[in-house]
Amino acid sequence: MKPRTWLILALLGALTFLYGLSVHSIWMCLLSKPLPILALLGWLRTTAMESYPRWIGIGLLFSLLGDVLLAWPADLFVFGLGAFLFAHLAYLKAYLSDCRRLAPMALLLSLSVGGVLLSVLAAHGLGPLLIPVTVYALAISAMLWRALARLNSDVHKRSARLAAAGALLFVFSDSLIGINRFVLPFDAAPYLIILSYWLGQWAITASATKVSVGANLFARWCT
């Protein structure tokens, strides 16, 4: 199928999930939540499977597993956290495949973001989740560092900008999950979490594709 068709399917899945969320239909959410990521995987398959897109695809597969675990009508938070941990490690590997520059400012920024968020969550009591959340915070901080490190490097600017924007949106989404679950629950959280997550995954996937559907406009907006 054409890239545009895959993104239309992703949009339909997203709208179905949001509707299920609004009417509190657990099973509608469970069945529709994986569809956007499945569509992104289909879109990714339209490009050559070199090292970078291959690792992005692996990250999407682990994200798909995490989506199902977190949407399942049982408390599988730790297992979902583990799935997304491996997703971030896959994205980290992808970013390292074409850029190894140290980028100390990006490292400092990423560690600061991860450290502040972890401190806020720990201050409100993580209990037995302290160690898994700490490991996850380190992984997502490393992923963000390597995504930002690709900026101002020899990497294609469009890919670097999209990956950096996607990583930032992913961190924002995960931060909202932590705040909503451990600090201060708020009604808009589920919508903000999933929308920023999907947009972040789209940007990360777009960074690995040669055919852009709105990606160039998004990349220019991110500059």
Side-chain angles (χ1 to χ4, degrees):
M1 289 192 291
K2 294 182 179 180
R4 191 179 303 275
T5 304
W6 286 115
L7 294 187
I8 291 173
L9 290 175
L11 180 59
L12 291 174
L15 291 174
T16 302
F17 176 83
L18 292 173
Y19 176 75
L21 200 61
S22 67
V23 297
H24 307 289
S25 174
I26 294 175
W27 290 105
M28 184 180 290
C29 290
L30 179 62
L31 293 173
S32 60
K33 191 177 184 183
L35 295 180
I37 301 302
L38 282 171
L40 289 180
L41 279 164
W43 180 31
L44 187 63
R45 292 295 298 176
T46 63
T47 194
M49 281 293 102
E50 300 164 352
S51 179
Y52 183 85
R54 187 183 305 116
W55 282 106
I56 295 298
I58 292 172
L60 287 172
L61 286 172
F62 278 113
S63 298
L64 182 64
L65 176 60
D67 282 342
V68 173
L69 290 171
L70 292 181
W72 198 263
D75 189 3
L76 301 177
F77 180 77
V78 173
F79 298 100
L81 195 71
F84 280 110
L85 169 67
F86 283 107
H88 290 309
L89 292 178
Y91 292 152
L92 172 63
K93 176 65 176 177
Y95 300 148
L96 284 169
S97 70
D98 60 7
C99 178
R100 298 259 176 167
R101 62 189 289 264
L102 180 59
M105 291 304 296
L107 174 59
L108 180 61
L109 174 62
S110 301
L111 288 176
S112 299
V113 170
V116 169
L117 178 61
L118 181 60
S119 298
V120 171
L121 297 181
H124 287 78
L126 290 173
L129 291 176
L130 178 60
I131 292 178
V133 170
T134 300
V135 172
Y136 185 84
L138 288 172
I140 197 172
S141 296
M143 184 276 295
L144 177 61
W145 167 39
R146 296 318 308 167
L148 295 177
R150 295 173 78 239
L151 296 169
N152 300 318
S153 70
D154 294 333
V155 176
H156 192 281
K157 288 185 178 181
R158 171 184 168 276
S159 175
R161 291 169 183 169
L162 285 165
L168 287 167
L169 284 165
F170 214 140
V171 171
F172 176 71
S173 177
D174 280 355
S175 300
L176 290 179
I177 291 175
I179 292 170
N180 183 62
R181 183 180 178 92
F182 300 108
V183 182
L184 182 64
F186 57 102
D187 293 338
Y191 299 95
L192 293 175
I193 289 168
I194 199 63
L195 289 173
S196 55
Y197 164 72
W198 279 331
L199 187 56
Q201 291 280 36
W202 171 82
I204 290 171
T205 305
S207 76
T209 61
K210 291 182 171 61
V211 180
S212 61
V213 182
N216 289 332
L217 179 61
F218 187 82
R220 287 197 296 271
W221 179 79
C222 293
T223 58

